[in-house]
Amino acid sequence: MSEALAHLALYGLGTMGSALALNILDNGFALHVANRTASVTEGFRSEAAASGLDGRLSVHGSLADLARDMPAPRAIILMVPAGDPVDAAIAELIPLLSPADAIIDAGNSDFHDTRRRTGTVEGAGLTYIGMGVSGGEDGARHGPSIMVGGTPAAYAGIRPMIETIAAKFEGAPCAAHLGPDGAGHFVKTVHNGIEYADMQLIAEIYGLFRYGAGKSPAEIGAIFAEWDKGALKSYLVEITSKVLTATDRETGKPAVDVILDRAGQKGTGRWTVIEALTMGQSASAIEAAVGARGWSAEKEARMAGEAILGGVRGPLALTHGDAEQALLAARIIAYAQGFRILAAASETYGWALDFARIAEIWRAGCIIRSALLDDISAAFRSDMPHGQLIFAPAFAKRLQATIPALRRVTAAAIAAGHPVPALSASLGFIDTMAQARGTTDLVQAQRDFFGRHGFERIGGAAGSHGPWWD
Ligand code: 6PG
C-alpha cells in the first residue's frame, strides 16, 4: 500500500466480523462490507443503521462486487473461518486488485498458511497482512488486542486505523507490528494456547471446590469474584465468577449445571502444542489443557468409565488461600511456557519478537488479559536469566511463595481422585526445572544400550558408549 490509509473493506459479517465492522465505523472510518450470504449483509446494514453507523457504510452484494466497486487503494479485511475460506477469498481477490492494495486476514489462521499466503499474494504484487485479533465479540466491537504480521511498510499503511480500533491500556493502544508474514498469527496462536491452559486451570480449581469441598457454583463464584480483586485479577477469573453465579432461566438451576461437559476446539490450542513440540519445546500446561478438551469430548466413554473404574472423588479440605496461590503459580507457569514457545519461534523463523511488547498488548482487549501481564512486560525489560520468565527475580520470588500451595493442592487432589491434569503438569514442569540433575542419564543409557545412540560423558566426549558395548 502506498497511501497512509487506504479505503477500507471487511468481508465476512459473522459474529466477529460484524462486531469489528461496527467498531471501525464507530471510530469514524468509512467501510465497504460484503458477506457470502446476502441476508447477513442486509442484517448488518440494519444493525449499523440502528446504531446510527450507516452513514459511512457501503454495502456490496459479493466479494467480487466489493473489490470491483470500491475505490483504490483498497485494504480488504477478511473475517472468514480459518482454512479454505481464506484461500478461496484470496483466489477471488487477486485478479481484481491492483498493486497498491492489501489483503488482511484477521481470522485465527494457522501461521504456516499465513506464510504461504504471503508468498502467493505478494508474488502477485499485492500486500498481505496476517493479523491476530483477540477479545471475543465484545473485544472486536469495543477494542480488541491486535497482533500484526507483515512488512513494516504494510503496517504503516493500516497503523492509524488499527491503533484507533484497538483496546487501550492506560491510553496506549494494544496493537503492534510483531514481525513479518506469520508472526502475528503465531503470537495469536500462542495467546490461545495460554487461554486454553488458563481456562483449564480455573476449571480444575472449580472442580476441587465443587466436587471435593462440596461448595455450590454460587459460592465458588463468590470466591472467584474475591480473587479478581487480587493477584489473579483477570478477564477469565472475572467471567468465571459471573458464569458461576448465573442461573438458568428455564430450570432455575445454576447455569453451569445445565451445560454438557464436552468442549470442541478450532485448532489454535492444538497448533500451539504441535509447534512447541516441533521446536523441541514442551508446554506441559497447554498440552494438558488441549488433552483435557479431547478427553471431554469422550463423554460416552467417561460415563461408562465411571461405572467400570468406579470413579471416586473424595472429600477435600481446601483452603481458599491455598487454592488461590496454586492457581497463581500454575498461571505463571502457563504464561512462562507460552513465552518459551514464542522465543523458540522467534529464533527458528528469525522474527526478533519483542516479548515485553507482546505482554503489553495483551494487557487489555484480549481474553488472557490479567494483572500479571504488566509484571511480565516489566520482567522482559529487565533481568531474565536464561530467557526464562520463571527465573526473572520477581517471578522466581512469586513462584517460591506459591509453589508450596500448588504442591499441597495438587497432592491432595490426586490422593482424593480428582483429575487435575493441568495443575499437575504445571508442577511437573517446575519440579523438573528446579533440579540441576534429572533422570535423563538413564534414558540416555537405555538409548545407547538398545541402539548405540551414544551419550555425552560428564566432563568427557559426546558419542561415548556404555560398558554394555565392551
Ligand atoms: C480470542 C479467542 C477466540 C476463540 C478461539 C478459541 O482471543 O478472542 O481466543 O479467538 O475463543 O478461537 O476457540 P476454541 O476454544 O473453539 O478453539
Side-chain angles (χ1 to χ4, degrees), residues 108 134-136 188 191-192 195-196 265-268 293 367:
N108 274 331
S134 175
K188 174 59 172 45
H191 163 285
N192 283 20
E195 170 188 301
Y196 270 56
Q265 46 182 307
K266 295 192 199 74
T268 47
R293 290 242 188 142
I367 302 295

Side-chain angles (χ1 to χ4, degrees), residues 73-287:
R74 314 164 184 92
I76 302 178
I77 302 170
L78 303 178
M79 278 300 253
V80 296
D84 293 344
V86 179
D87 285 314
I90 290 170
E92 200 172 344
L93 283 173
I94 285 178
L96 301 172
L97 299 183
S98 42
D101 296 343
I103 300 174
I104 304 166
D105 173 17
N108 274 331
S109 286
D110 184 331
F111 87 108
H112 291 296
D113 287 338
T114 305
R115 284 164 68 82
R116 169 179 56 78
R117 290 167 186 150
T118 301
T120 308
V121 174
E122 303 214 328
L126 308 170
T127 295
Y128 196 71
I129 294 174
M131 187 168 95
V133 177
S134 175
E137 185 182 357
D138 194 58
R141 175 66 183 88
H142 300 289
S145 171
I146 304 178
M147 294 146 257
V148 182
T151 63
Y155 185 55
I158 58 165
R159 185 173 174 172
M161 183 272 292
I162 294 295
E163 292 194 342
T164 307
I165 66 166
K168 308 289 180 300
F169 182 84
E170 292 174 356
C174 288
H177 173 244
L178 299 172
D181 49 67
H185 276 141
F186 189 88
V187 173
K188 174 59 172 45
T189 295
V190 173
H191 163 285
N192 283 20
I194 298 170
E195 170 188 301
Y196 270 56
D198 208 27
M199 291 167 75
Q200 174 66 21
L201 291 165
I202 290 171
E204 289 178 15
I205 293 287
Y206 156 75
L208 299 183
F209 275 127
R210 183 80 198 270
Y211 305 109
K215 290 193 184 299
S216 69
E219 286 170 327
I220 307 166
I223 296 170
F224 276 99
E226 213 34 54
W227 290 353
D228 195 38
K229 296 175 193 151
L232 282 171
K233 185 172 174 46
S234 57
Y235 175 70
L236 283 171
V237 165
E238 180 197 334
I239 65 163
T240 300
S241 77
K242 290 182 176 159
V243 163
L244 290 174
T245 46
T247 304
D248 175 50
R249 267 197 217 101
E250 216 173 290
T251 58
K253 289 182 182 173
V256 76
D257 282 359
V258 302
I259 301 173
L260 191 65
D261 59 330
R262 175 160 68 192
Q265 46 182 307
K266 295 192 199 74
T268 47
R270 187 170 57 239
W271 300 338
T272 306
V273 174
I274 291 169
E275 297 308 327
L277 292 172
T278 303
M279 294 183 294
Q281 290 286 317
S282 171
S284 60
I286 302 173
E287 281 162 25

Side-chain angles (χ1 to χ4, degrees), residues 1-24:
M1 280 185 304
S2 53
E3 303 210 347
L5 195 59
H7 298 278
L8 278 175
L10 189 145
Y11 177 68
L13 294 166
T15 308
M16 291 292 285
S18 57
L20 197 69
L22 290 174
N23 182 355
I24 293 169

